[in-house]
Amino acid sequence: MWAGSLEDVGDQLVGAFQNPGLLLGIPLALAGAVFMSFGAQYQHRGVAKVERLSGKDGSTGLTGGQLRQLLARPSWVIGTLMLGLAIVCQLGALAVAPLIVVQPLGAVALVITTLLNARVSGHAPTRRSMLAIVACVGGIFSFVIVAALFATEQTVTSRQIVIVLIVLTVIALLLVGFWLLVRRRHGIRALFYILAAGIVYGFVATLAKIVIKRIQAGDFEWLTVLCVIALLGGTALGAYFVQTAYSSGPPDLVIAGLTVVDPMVAVMIGLLVLGEGAAVPPWGFVMFGISGAIAIWGVTTLARFHPQVMSESQELPFTRGSSGTAGSGAAGAGAGEDPLV
């Protein structure tokens, strides 16, 4: 049984790389990762600048005034445009190349963002933070590859769409309610915003897929309109969490959460709600659990031991590094300033 399964996996891998669309899909996916990395760095700098100008800490939630000020920050606007280009590149890559190749390449953004942030902030990655990044990238690669090998695309029924909308509504309400409870608790804010944004964007990706398929089928009716409304609402909520996360943690930490949580949530919705997991063997679900646990461990470890967080947030109530101590928050706080923020 195992030999037959491995042979099938090999055949699917070979077939994937015989697709001529890879000649365009791989460069598009890599370009999207680059745009995402630079976009995150610029948006983070814009949020930090707005915090300094307003004199208000945005980690408890950006105010309406701070959100308006972001529109006047060149760095934030440029970062937003770059993230828009990243989305266009990713959609283009998915249109011409297999998911098994395109989706894992998004994790390259984490590596690029880590290098960029180290250069800008002056906080070089430590051995422990690099191990966390490897766990993030490796976990999400194996998770998405297993899903791509065995998931089968099904026609989405109206009942399944209603379930997705109901679950998204419940989760959005829970996240907002939990945010109101924990937004002033320093120890979990950054990680909460990152995970919340990833969860919401996982549903956004699913809804985008549903809307595209229904439009292609000529089935644009009230349920599709509800999906579009939910998609826009989810995008706005996720964007708010992301921008607030930039005020609570470095950009590579934010990208780590998004590149891990977003695709895992989207894949799990497809498998468990949309019926795409009918062909997944039992060992495939075991692999999902292992890969997901490794990736999530990577995100939480990076949140605890990121060198910039350790340096600038000594008040956070958890052990920092192997000795439990870190440098002064003033060190490097102004590193990498440029007039574009």
Side-chain angles (χ1 to χ4, degrees):
M1 180 182 69
W2 283 92
S5 297
L6 291 175
E7 186 176 335
D8 291 340
V9 171
D11 290 341
Q12 292 181 63
L13 283 169
V14 172
F17 283 95
Q18 289 176 341
N19 186 344
L22 292 178
L23 295 176
L24 178 59
I26 290 178
L28 278 174
L30 292 175
V34 172
F35 281 128
M36 179 181 290
S37 301
F38 279 90
Q41 189 68 51
Y42 275 101
Q43 279 199 330
H44 176 268
R45 292 179 67 77
V47 170
K49 184 68 172 182
V50 165
E51 281 187 297
R52 290 195 295 271
L53 291 176
S54 65
K56 297 179 181 178
D57 180 13
S59 61
T60 58
L62 295 174
T63 65
Q66 287 175 317
L67 292 174
R68 287 190 295 271
Q69 284 180 296
L70 287 176
L71 297 175
R73 301 265 39 101
S75 59
W76 188 86
V77 174
I78 290 173
T80 302
L81 292 175
M82 287 186 173
L83 291 178
L85 289 173
I87 293 173
V88 171
C89 288
Q90 186 70 8
L91 291 176
L94 287 172
V96 298
L99 175 67
I100 187 175
V101 176
V102 172
Q103 190 71 9
L105 289 176
V108 173
L110 173 56
V111 178
I112 299 174
T113 309
T114 299
L115 298 176
L116 279 175
N117 191 61
R119 174 77 175 176
V120 171
S121 68
H123 295 89
T126 63
R127 185 166 62 178
R128 181 165 285 185
S129 67
M130 288 303 297
L131 177 62
I133 291 170
V134 170
C136 291
V137 176
I140 196 59
F141 262 64
S142 58
F143 187 97
V144 175
I145 286 174
V146 173
L149 289 175
F150 295 105
T152 56
E153 205 162 49
Q154 306 286 340
T155 300
V156 181
T157 65
S158 297
R159 177 177 176 274
Q160 290 170 329
I161 294 176
V162 170
I163 292 175
V164 171
L165 291 173
I166 291 175
V167 174
L168 172 58
T169 302
V170 171
I171 288 179
L173 291 175
L174 289 175
L175 289 175
V176 171
F178 191 69
W179 169 67
L180 293 174
L181 292 175
V182 307
R183 61 178 178 161
R184 299 191 183 280
R185 298 182 184 179
H186 293 266
I188 58 177
R189 285 195 312 221
L191 189 58
F192 167 75
Y193 291 134
I194 292 164
L195 294 177
I199 292 171
V200 172
Y201 278 148
F203 278 90
V204 168
T206 302
L207 289 171
K209 177 181 176 181
I210 290 173
V211 169
I212 291 172
K213 282 191 162 296
R214 290 179 79 84
I215 291 177
Q216 288 175 340
D219 193 11
F220 194 87
E221 30 72 68
W222 68 271
L223 197 54
T224 307
V225 173
L226 281 181
C227 288
V228 172
I229 294 173
L231 190 156
L232 296 175
T235 300
L237 180 62
Y240 181 81
F241 282 139
V242 167
Q243 301 309 314
T244 307
Y246 286 141
S247 66
S248 306
D252 48 338
L253 178 56
V254 178
I255 291 297
L258 293 181
T259 56
V260 167
V261 180
D262 179 347
M264 285 202 302
V265 170
V267 168
M268 293 309 296
I269 294 172
L271 294 176
L272 301 178
V273 180
L274 304 183
E276 296 179 355
V280 178
W283 67 264
F285 285 99
V286 174
M287 285 298 300
F288 286 147
I290 295 174
S291 301
I294 291 173
I296 293 297
W297 176 86
V299 175
T300 55
T301 301
L302 189 61
R304 295 184 63 192
F305 296 102
H306 190 287
Q308 185 173 341
V309 176
M310 291 170 65
S311 175
E312 297 176 0
S313 302
Q314 288 301 296
E315 75 277 7
L316 299 190
F318 44 70
T319 303
R320 295 296 191 182
S322 57
S323 64
T325 60
S328 169
E337 282 290 340
D338 64 49
L340 197 56
V341 298

